[in-house]
Each structure stands twice: as structure tokens, then as C-alpha cells.
Amino acid sequence: MSDTTDILELPLILPAQAQKHVTHNEALLLLDALVQLAVADRDRSAPPALPVAGDRHIVAAGATGLWAGQEGQLAVMTAAGWQFLAPRPGWQAYLLSEARLAVYDGLSWVTPDQTAGSFARLGISATADAVNRLALASPAVLMSHAGAGMQLKLNKASAAETGSLLFQTGWSGRAEMGCTGSDDFAVKVSADGSAWQVALALGAATGIADFPQGLRVAGSPVCSRASLVGTVTQSAGLPTGAVLERGSNASGSWLRLADGTQICWHHGFSVANVSTALGAGFTSPAVSWSYPQSFLAGSAPVVSGLADGVDCWLAAAAPSASSASLRVLSFLSKAGSQALRVMAVGRWI
């Protein structure tokens, strides 16, 4: 039969042993040292200068003096001096200097932050569940670098899955940003957690930014795909409709800008001839061009253009806000018709 116990190696009282109290007291002293184990520290390599009976330490590496060669051992100060106890794997000790628990893993004493721990669920001031396996209730969360940069990674299984940050009010979604249902990055918002509006979309393949709901800058009217090209309107110098308006009819084409500028052009008509004598040259009959869109009343546009014939040029006589009288001039008589290309630039408002 062994003289000690199998686990803590406490001395056993043997049959017919004399002075049994000595063995019994030694076992009690070992229990006193190991039960509810709490040590002062684990980073001391030499004993303190003024130890007190009952002091307990974990001997650090590079031990010297009375602790030499006792690295990793439990050093207990007794009436007889320092006593060293060899830990076994799984022993736990509370570190008073660090206010946390350490476990002996067979080689050294480690705290939870020094081990590769794994938890099926973890709740910090909150209850984790099967879906929210990590749950935290806190006024704030701080994640800082460990000497350089830092990344927060959200990895999804495939492009069709979701990797996003969801912001809620009363457990109902109000804003979400990330890759939802594709690898494009999007920011979307909701007033009720049910109907969502995509405010910003960034194409994964192109990097092009799209604003499906339009864009408003410093209180200015919304700018969207629908409002860029459409019917132009204006109030007090500010656009109230589209930015650009493009159209055409039998009298030509026009481009109207929200700032009040208007451009009209036409190249689908001609004059019959350029054969009427005029001074040292010749002129065509007058032809009237009614603009496809009228200009601002009392503000005639600038009309210019050209005739397709060689040695010909175009002249406009007293253009009005709605039309212009055009003639083709030439130094040579032209019996055939001459095609015209004309343009008028002015203001529509």
C-alpha cells in the first residue's frame, strides 16, 4: 500500500504508526495550501524579501535563490520555510495580481486569453441562442489593433447569400449595408422593417455607383435617372423637373436645359434655287423656319447655319422668338435646290 494518496500525494497514517498526529497535520497543511487555491502572482522568479506564512506563488521561469529549479511549481511559505508542490494537468489557481483564473495544462499555467478556446455559444450580458451564437449587451464595443491594422471580416458561403451589417430599432430592421443576395455592395433603408429602398449600389464588377432613389445635395431637388432627361421645368431659377429635355418634330430637333438655355436645329428642308440677282451676286427665295420649340418671348435667338452647295452661305433676316426668315446667298447663280442646315441658340425662360 502506498504511503500517500494518488492525486494530491497527501501522507497516509499507517497501521500502528507512532505520532500519528504528525502525519495527519502534514496532510492538513497540504490541503490548506491546495484547496480554494489562490496565488499572489505567476511572474516572480525569486521569493519575496519578507514572506508571510501562507503566501503562495507560481514560480516563474528563470527562478533563482531558494526557488531555483522550481519553475512552474507552487511555492507555499510554511513555518518550516518554502515548500514546493508540483501541479497536475487541470489544476486551477486564481491569480490575485491579475484578477483571473489560470489552468495548468501540463506544461505551464495559462489564462483563457492565452489558449485557443472554442465555445458553441457565448453570451456577454446577453443570452446566446442557436442563431445568435455570439450575443453581447453593452453600451459600446471596442475592437482595436494589436500593433498594426485591423479588419472585421464577414464571410458568406456564396454570392447569393448575405454578408451585411443590419441596424435595428426595437428588433425591426431600419438600415442594412453589405452584400445582400449578390456580390454588389448596397446600402438600403426601411421605415418598417418590411419594405426596403436601396439608396446606394456599387457594382462589384465595375465599381460604378448607382443611386436608384435619386441624389439630393444640400437640399437641392432630387437628381435621378428619371430627372436627368425628361420634361424641363424651372421656378425662380431652380430646376423643378428634369435637367435636360430632348425632342423633335417636323420643324427639327431641340435640346432644352434647366438653366434656361435652348438649342434648336434642323436640316430637313431646302430653298428652290439661288438665281435672283442681288447686287454682284444672287439670292434664293426666302424660306421661313418655325422653330421646333419657341424661345422666350421678346428674346430672339442667334440663328446660324450653312447651305450644302459650293460657294453658298446662309443669311437670316430678323429672327423672332418663334421663327426666322432664311435666304441662301451666292456669287454664282444656282438653278437647282440647295439643302439647308440651321441652328438657333437662345433662352426658353
Side-chain angles (χ1 to χ4, degrees):
M1 177 179 178
S2 174
D3 293 344
T4 61
T5 61
D6 294 330
I7 299 175
L8 297 181
E9 297 184 352
L10 303 177
L12 295 172
I13 298 175
L14 301 177
Q17 177 182 330
Q19 294 186 321
K20 296 179 176 62
H21 67 282
V22 175
T23 301
H24 179 65
N25 289 342
E26 183 180 350
L28 290 178
L29 290 174
L30 287 172
L31 287 173
D32 188 50
L34 295 176
V35 175
Q36 300 290 355
L37 181 58
V39 299
D41 47 49
R42 60 169 174 166
D43 57 2
R44 185 185 293 273
S45 58
L50 299 173
V52 177
D55 283 355
R56 292 177 290 183
H57 305 268
I58 294 175
V59 180
T64 60
L66 296 176
W67 287 4
Q70 304 296 333
E71 287 87 347
Q73 304 278 309
L74 292 169
V76 183
M77 186 63 186
T78 68
W82 289 105
Q83 182 177 4
F84 301 97
L85 304 175
R88 294 195 176 190
W91 282 20
Q92 301 180 41
Y94 187 76
L95 307 174
L96 296 172
S97 62
E98 302 177 36
R100 54 183 172 175
L101 196 67
V103 178
Y104 186 70
D105 64 4
L107 296 174
S108 60
W109 292 88
V110 294
T111 51
D113 63 301
Q114 297 173 314
T115 62
S118 178
F119 304 90
R121 299 180 187 179
L122 178 60
I124 304 175
S125 298
T127 301
D129 56 37
V131 175
N132 303 292
R133 298 178 187 178
L134 173 61
L136 167 67
S138 173
V141 176
L142 172 63
M143 292 181 284
S144 183
H145 65 85
M150 182 186 175
Q151 291 181 322
L152 177 62
K153 299 178 181 179
L154 302 176
N155 182 55
K156 58 181 183 174
S158 65
E161 303 300 332
T162 292
S164 68
L165 294 178
L166 177 64
F167 301 87
Q168 297 181 317
T169 296
W171 307 112
S172 178
R174 292 296 180 268
E176 187 173 11
M177 58 188 296
C179 300
T180 55
S182 73
D183 284 339
D184 295 338
F185 186 87
V187 178
K188 58 182 182 179
V189 293
S190 174
D192 56 10
S194 178
W196 290 84
Q197 303 291 333
V198 177
L200 169 65
L202 302 175
T206 64
I208 295 175
D210 187 20
F211 300 89
Q213 310 307 319
L215 179 63
R216 186 188 301 269
V217 180
S220 65
V222 172
C223 177
S224 66
R225 284 171 291 185
S227 65
L228 284 175
V229 179
T231 301
V232 171
T233 56
Q234 187 194 92
S235 177
L238 294 177
T240 56
V243 176
L244 302 172
E245 180 179 341
R246 170 75 183 270
S248 64
N249 54 36
S251 297
S253 302
W254 75 89
L255 177 65
R256 180 173 284 183
L257 282 66
D259 71 342
T261 302
Q262 179 171 282
I263 303 173
C264 296
W265 65 95
H266 190 27
H267 52 77
F269 67 115
S270 62
V271 293
N273 56 70
V274 187
S275 57
T276 302
L278 179 65
F282 299 88
T283 183
S284 71
V287 59
S288 179
W289 175 38
S290 295
Y291 314 129
Q293 286 288 332
S294 295
F295 289 86
L296 178 65
S299 177
V302 174
V303 178
S304 61
L306 55 85
D308 288 351
V310 179
D311 301 324
C312 295
W313 65 94
L314 184 71
S320 70
S322 60
S323 64
S325 179
L326 306 174
R327 290 176 180 269
V328 176
L329 304 178
S330 176
F331 288 117
L332 302 175
S333 177
K334 306 284 185 178
S337 64
Q338 301 294 316
L340 305 180
R341 301 172 184 268
V342 292
M343 180 174 65
V345 180
R347 300 191 60 80
W348 64 272
I349 191 172

